Amino acid sequence: VLCLATCKLLHTDVDNCNHFVQYIFSGSQDSSIGVWNVDTFQLKGCLLGHSRSVINLYVMNETVKAPLLLSTSRDNCICIWDIASLSLLFRITDLPSLVYDIAVVSLPSNAGYYLYGGCQDTNVFALSLSILPYLMRVHYERLKLQHRQQLEIEALKLKTHKKTKKKKKKDSVVADNSSTTKSSIANLSAL
């Protein structure tokens, strides 16, 4: 483990009860980010988006929809993750140098969020995250579409299963009738 970050997320369960779930994120040398549930000490999953060691993690709680996780890596890119769905939202690539540390600042007068990074070559850069609300909206629309497609696939599987079951039952009735007819013919022949 090369770095850690924590986040508390409001979760709604199947009974529509709200409760907080706390996660620990661990950046590792194998390029993955482990997601650990603090209450159960169980690994919830791994975030895969980097190609080299993950060296820094930053939780951005200021977003309206859900907190975000930002990660830096020796692959010279920054990944922005949606913590609620544990999926990659955006990847900033082709940075000029290895980014060791990052911070997000909300500027006054609705200027938006800025991502600051401290680099190995001793430079500091600033990137506007003004596109972030748009990215989140597109991301959530994509998640809704994937969920809807998954529901359609499940419904199709269920429909196909019911048709197959009905056909097997019909074939079974036909087979039973066929064997009954054959035994009746055999009985008549015996007479």
Side-chain angles (χ1 to χ4, degrees), residues 2-124:
L2 299 175
C3 53
L4 295 170
T6 62
C7 176
K8 200 180 247 189
L9 182 67
L10 183 62
H11 177 72
T12 305
D13 62 20
V14 291
D15 298 325
N16 283 332
C17 295
N18 291 332
H19 57 92
F20 284 99
V21 177
Q22 189 161 359
Y23 294 119
I24 292 179
F25 300 96
S26 59
S28 67
Q29 226 166 359
D30 70 357
S31 75
S32 69
I33 300 169
V35 182
W36 303 86
N37 183 315
V38 173
D39 297 328
T40 63
F41 296 106
Q42 296 293 314
L43 182 66
K44 181 171 174 61
C46 284
L47 304 178
L48 304 172
H50 290 290
S51 60
R52 298 195 57 203
S53 303
V54 177
I55 57 174
N56 194 347
L57 298 169
Y58 179 89
V59 174
M60 184 178 166
N61 287 313
E62 301 87 7
T63 57
V64 176
K65 287 252 184 194
L68 301 176
L69 175 71
L70 286 75
S71 58
T72 66
S73 168
R74 293 196 181 279
D75 62 7
N76 287 12
C77 77
I78 298 171
C79 289
I80 302 176
W81 307 89
D82 173 31
I83 293 176
S85 65
L86 296 178
S87 57
L88 184 62
L89 180 63
F90 190 70
R91 187 179 161 116
I92 302 168
T93 59
D94 299 325
L95 295 168
S97 178
L98 181 64
V99 179
Y100 275 110
D101 201 9
I102 52 177
V104 176
V105 176
S106 175
L107 298 179
S109 69
N110 295 328
Y113 297 103
Y114 277 84
L115 169 67
Y116 292 91
C119 301
Q120 182 180 24
D121 65 4
T122 70
N123 286 316
V124 173

Side-chain angles (χ1 to χ4, degrees), residues 68-185:
L68 301 176
L69 175 71
L70 286 75
S71 58
T72 66
S73 168
R74 293 196 181 279
D75 62 7
N76 287 12
C77 77
I78 298 171
C79 289
I80 302 176
W81 307 89
D82 173 31
I83 293 176
S85 65
L86 296 178
S87 57
L88 184 62
L89 180 63
F90 190 70
R91 187 179 161 116
I92 302 168
T93 59
D94 299 325
L95 295 168
S97 178
L98 181 64
V99 179
Y100 275 110
D101 201 9
I102 52 177
V104 176
V105 176
S106 175
L107 298 179
S109 69
N110 295 328
Y113 297 103
Y114 277 84
L115 169 67
Y116 292 91
C119 301
Q120 182 180 24
D121 65 4
T122 70
N123 286 316
V124 173
F125 67 87
L127 292 174
S128 170
L129 295 179
S130 59
I131 194 169
L132 199 55
Y134 169 76
L135 291 175
M136 291 183 73
R137 190 170 54 251
V138 168
H139 177 70
Y140 281 108
E141 289 301 318
R142 187 176 341 122
L143 287 177
K144 285 180 193 174
L145 178 63
Q146 287 173 349
H147 181 67
R148 194 168 40 247
Q149 288 172 338
Q150 187 63 35
L151 290 176
E152 289 171 1
I153 289 169
E154 293 297 322
L156 186 61
K157 284 180 183 177
L158 184 62
K159 189 176 179 181
T160 305
H161 178 70
K162 284 181 180 179
K163 280 184 178 180
T164 305
K165 196 173 178 181
K166 193 175 183 179
K167 185 176 181 335
K168 283 182 181 178
K169 187 175 181 181
K170 185 180 176 184
D171 290 346
S172 172
V173 169
V174 169
D176 286 345
N177 288 342
S178 172
S179 63
T180 304
T181 305
K182 285 179 185 176
S183 66
S184 298
I185 291 172

